C-alpha cells in the first residue's frame, strides 16, 4: 500500500519559534493587512506551551510577516482599549468579551519592546482582524518589557 | 498627482462614497472632514508611518531570545 499524501487541510507552518500544524479554519482575514505589510491579508495566531504567554502572529503569504505577540494585559494589567463604532464595524460587530488582543513585540539585542499603542485585535467569531491605530492613545508605542504579569 | 483648488465647504470625492471636505482654512493649517465607509481606514499619515516603522522592526524575529525565555519560564512558575 502506498503512503497516503499529507492531509491538505493540515498544512505545516515553519516559524522561528517552531513548526506548527494549522487547519485552514484557523486563518484570520486582515482586509487592510498590517501597516508595512499591507500585502499580507491572511494571518495565523500560533501558540505553543513553550512560547506561552507569547504567541506568534504569522502571515500565510510569506515568512517575513512573522511577529512575536503578547496579550497587552500580561504586560500592563490595567490595559484597556476602547473600540469606536467604526472599529466594531470593521470587526463585523463582535462580541467584545470574545475579542483576542495582541500587542506586537520587538526583540532587540538589549531590550524587548511591546507596542501597546497599536494592538492587533481579532474577532474569532468572524475570523477578522486589524491593527488599531488610535491617534490619541495613553499607551506607548515602545513599552520596555521587564516582567510579565 | 491630481491637484485641486477647493474653497471652504467644497469637497472632493474619491471612488464610491469617500468624501474629503475642506472645513476650515487658516494661515498654515487646513481642517478636513473625511466621510468614508466603515471598512475604509483613514489615518493621519504620521501615525500610520510610526506604526509601520515599528511593525517592520518587530517583524521576523530570529526566535525567542534568552532574556525572554527566562521571562516565560518565570511566568510559568508563577501560574
Amino acid at each position: 500500500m502506498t503512503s497516503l499524501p499529507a492531509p491538505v487541510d493540515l498544512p505545516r507552518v515553519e516559524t522561528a519559534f517552531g513548526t506548527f500544524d494549522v487547519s485552514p479554519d484557523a486563518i484570520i482575514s486582515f482586509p487592510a493587512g498590517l501597516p508595512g505589510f499591507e500585502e499580507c491579508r491572511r494571518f495565523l495566531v500560533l501558540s505553543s506551551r513553550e512560547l506561552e504567554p507569547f504567541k506568534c502572529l504569522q502571515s500565510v503569504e510569506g515568512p517575513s510577516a512573522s511577529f512575536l505577540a503578547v496579550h497587552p494585559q500580561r504586560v500592563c494589567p490595567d490595559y484597556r482599549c476602547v473600540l469606536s463604532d467604526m472599529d466594531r464595524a470593521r470587526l463585523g460587530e463582535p462580541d467584545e468579551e470574545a475579542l483576542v488582543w495582541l500587542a506586537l513585540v520587538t526583540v532587540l539585542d538589549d531590550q524587548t519592546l511591546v507596542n501597546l499603542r497599536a494592538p492587533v485585535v481579532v474577532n474569532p467569531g468572524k475570523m477578522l482582524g486589524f491593527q488599531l491605530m488610535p491617534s490619541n492613545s495613553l499607551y506607548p508605542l515602545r513599552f520596555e518589557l521587564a516582567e510579565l504579569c | 498627482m491630481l491637484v485641486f483648488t477647493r474653497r471652504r465647504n467644497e469637497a472632493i470625492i474619491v471612488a464610491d462614497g469617500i468624501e474629503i471636505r475642506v472645513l476650515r482654512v487658516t494661515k498654515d493649517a487646513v481642517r478636513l472632514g473625511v466621510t468614508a465607509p466603515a471598512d475604509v481606514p483613514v489615518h493621519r499619515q504620521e501615525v500610520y508611518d510610526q506604526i509601520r516603522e515599528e511593525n517592520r522592526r518587530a517583524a521576523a524575529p530570529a526566535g525567542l531570545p534568552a532574556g525572554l525565555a527566562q521571562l516565560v519560564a518565570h511566568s510559568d512558575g508563577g501560574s
Side-chain angles (χ1 to χ4, degrees):
Chain A
M1 189 174 164
T2 54
S3 62
L4 291 168
V8 286
D9 59 339
L10 264 185
R12 194 155 274 206
V13 176
E14 284 184 29
T15 77
F17 312 105
T19 303
F20 298 82
D21 290 326
V22 214
S23 80
D25 59 15
I27 291 174
I28 304 157
S29 168
F30 279 64
L34 283 184
F37 299 88
E38 289 83 354
E39 70 283 9
C40 300
R41 303 296 172 94
R42 295 183 303 153
F43 283 84
L44 299 163
V45 176
L46 304 171
S47 346
S48 73
R49 228 183 105 70
E50 293 73 40
L51 210 54
E52 275 306 313
F54 293 94
K55 303 198 182 297
C56 175
L57 180 67
Q58 174 76 38
S59 158
V60 177
E61 270 87 7
S64 71
S66 176
F67 301 89
L68 194 61
V70 67
H71 193 292
Q73 284 179 346
R74 293 305 297 265
V75 176
C76 177
D78 300 331
Y79 188 90
R80 231 178 133 254
C81 204
V82 178
L83 295 176
S84 68
D85 288 347
M86 194 173 279
D87 296 332
R88 278 192 291 274
R90 289 180 73 187
L91 289 167
E93 303 301 336
D95 168 9
E96 295 208 21
E97 293 294 309
L99 290 176
V100 176
W101 293 86
L102 292 170
L104 301 187
V105 177
T106 301
V107 177
L108 302 174
D109 287 343
D110 53 348
Q111 57 181 177
T112 299
L113 304 172
V114 184
N115 180 349
L116 293 180
R117 179 160 311 159
V120 166
V121 57
V122 173
N123 174 9
K126 297 251 170 94
M127 295 305 267
L128 267 176
F130 75 101
Q131 187 171 21
L132 269 177
M133 264 172 283
S135 46
N136 303 306
S137 169
L138 296 172
Y139 297 106
L141 192 64
R142 294 176 188 158
F143 179 87
E144 189 170 351
L145 181 62
E147 58 178 349
L148 292 164
C149 314
Chain B
M1 184 193 284
L2 266 176
V3 179
F4 300 90
T5 300
R6 301 279 67 192
R7 296 174 194 285
R8 191 162 63 87
N9 288 330
E10 290 182 343
I12 62 167
I13 301 287
V14 180
D16 290 328
I18 301 172
E19 181 197 276
I20 302 165
R21 185 172 294 276
V22 177
L23 300 178
R24 195 167 69 214
V25 184
T26 60
K27 186 164 162 278
D28 52 9
V30 178
R31 193 166 175 83
L32 301 173
V34 180
T35 310
D39 58 345
V40 175
V42 178
H43 308 289
R44 289 177 176 83
Q45 187 183 16
E46 64 275 20
V47 173
Y48 191 90
D49 286 351
Q50 221 181 13
I51 290 163
R52 184 176 56 192
E53 210 40 55
E54 207 53 28
N55 283 351
R56 286 185 177 151
R57 280 153 48 101
L64 204 60
L68 267 194
Q70 263 174 18
L71 276 185
V72 169
H74 185 259
S75 154
D76 269 358
S79 61

